[in-house]
Amino acid sequence: MPYPIIDSHCHLDFPKFNPDREETILRARKAGVIGMINSGISLKGNRMSLELAEKNEDIHAALGLSPDIGREGSDKDIDAIIAQIEANAGNAVGIGEAGLDFQDCKTNEERERQTVSFKKVVELAKDLDKPLVVHARLAEAEVLKLVRGVDTVIYHCYSGPIETMQEIVDAGYYISLATLVCFSGHHQALAAEVPLENLLLETDSPFLSPRKGRNEPAFIVDSIPMVAQLKEIEPAEIAKFATENARRAFNI
């Protein structure tokens, strides 16, 4: 029996799904996935996320601005995405992903530019009273300082230190663990420590596959027994907590 589960972060709008997007969605449903949060990161991606959500009751759009665009995009590009998010927020369950990725920032100037862009998205989430999905790589603590005024924050694909994770959950925010947990010792250590009340599960597909090749929402089922084993509880309980938390976080 499949466990009902929500994939709290995927990118079905990405070109890697162009050959078989519909079949991918059907495979997810067959595997027990009862909801997918599709996270846009660009003008086109946000538009496709809204279209996917409109066509499929079990797909929900989050509208974002990737850290790459925040770092490299022109002011015009960034302002266009901010305006798009604001105009379509009523059809979205969350804002993001957006955030800081200091792994790819080569200079302080790039960090500052990325931070300025992210602050715009944070203010938007506050103004719209929407959950904020954050991307934080080598910048988990820096992101936490910037988001503290937001009611609901989801740290997507959390990969930072356990100590910072504790600060995040102390703030009442969610930790979303990707399918990396199936094969990464660090992510397994995070899974063992994160409180059940703050846990979400995601694929971040098409990335981070626990199987060969491209990841897809159906593969989230691989995470459930792994996290259950690490927390020494039944897989059904893990699926139940992660699903109820996703419903609460995104109000779905």
Side-chain angles (χ1 to χ4, degrees):
M1 273 293 291
Y3 304 105
I5 186 70
I6 291 175
D7 182 354
S8 74
H9 195 102
C10 61
H11 299 284
L12 289 165
D13 56 291
F14 276 27
K16 284 200 173 180
F17 290 110
N18 287 352
D20 63 343
R21 190 169 283 108
E22 293 305 316
E23 295 89 337
T24 299
I25 294 166
L26 291 173
R27 281 194 294 273
R29 290 171 182 154
K30 195 172 178 183
V33 179
I34 58 170
M36 292 160 261
I37 311 296
N38 199 84
S39 192
I41 59 170
S42 64
L43 267 179
K44 184 180 178 183
N46 288 338
R47 189 166 59 246
M48 281 190 69
S49 295
L50 289 164
E51 288 169 5
L52 283 163
E54 193 178 345
K55 289 178 189 168
N56 301 276
E57 284 186 10
D58 51 357
I59 298 179
H60 309 276
L63 306 177
L65 168 70
S66 83
D68 290 342
I69 295 174
R71 184 181 80 246
E72 300 170 343
S74 68
D75 290 345
K76 187 179 175 185
D77 292 340
I78 290 161
D79 290 344
I81 293 172
I82 295 290
Q84 179 196 41
I85 295 171
E86 196 165 14
N88 293 280
N91 295 316
V93 297
I95 307 301
E97 69 185 274
L100 303 178
D101 193 325
F102 287 172
Q103 178 171 294
D104 292 333
C105 288
K106 303 292 185 283
T107 64
N108 283 336
E109 186 184 349
E110 286 185 332
R111 285 187 180 203
E112 284 166 20
R113 182 161 178 74
Q114 200 174 68
T115 302
V116 168
S117 301
F118 178 48
K119 282 179 177 176
K120 290 181 181 178
V121 182
V122 172
E123 289 309 308
L124 204 53
K126 287 182 196 171
D127 292 345
L128 297 167
D129 195 24
K130 289 278 185 181
L132 177 62
V133 180
V134 298
H135 173 118
R137 185 155 53 171
L138 304 183
E140 292 82 7
E142 288 85 350
V143 164
L144 184 58
K145 287 175 192 166
L146 297 173
V147 302
R148 282 204 179 265
V150 182
D151 281 347
T152 303
V153 177
I154 297 101
Y155 265 74
H156 128 73
C157 190
Y158 185 80
S159 302
I162 287 178
E163 296 77 16
T164 309
M165 183 179 78
Q166 192 57 56
E167 290 181 46
I168 293 163
V169 301
D170 286 348
Y173 297 151
Y174 294 94
I175 296 290
S176 186
L177 294 177
T179 34
L180 277 166
V181 75
C182 297
F183 54 88
S184 159
H186 177 60
H187 290 83
Q188 288 166 6
L190 293 169
E193 294 294 327
V194 63
L196 286 168
E197 294 75 17
N198 303 82
L199 171 69
L200 299 176
L201 295 178
E202 65 170 89
T203 57
D204 198 21
S205 49
F207 311 111
L208 313 178
S209 181
R211 309 182 191 180
K212 283 185 178 176
R214 181 194 70 184
N215 203 2
E216 59 181 73
F219 298 172
I220 196 168
V221 299
D222 293 16
S223 293
I224 299 169
M226 173 59 74
V227 177
Q229 182 184 333
L230 291 162
K231 294 195 103 47
E232 300 181 338
I233 62 174
E234 289 299 313
E237 283 295 294
I238 291 295
K240 181 167 171 279
F241 268 101
T243 298
E244 287 177 357
N245 290 344
R247 290 198 187 285
R248 191 180 314 111
F250 292 105
N251 196 25
I252 55 175

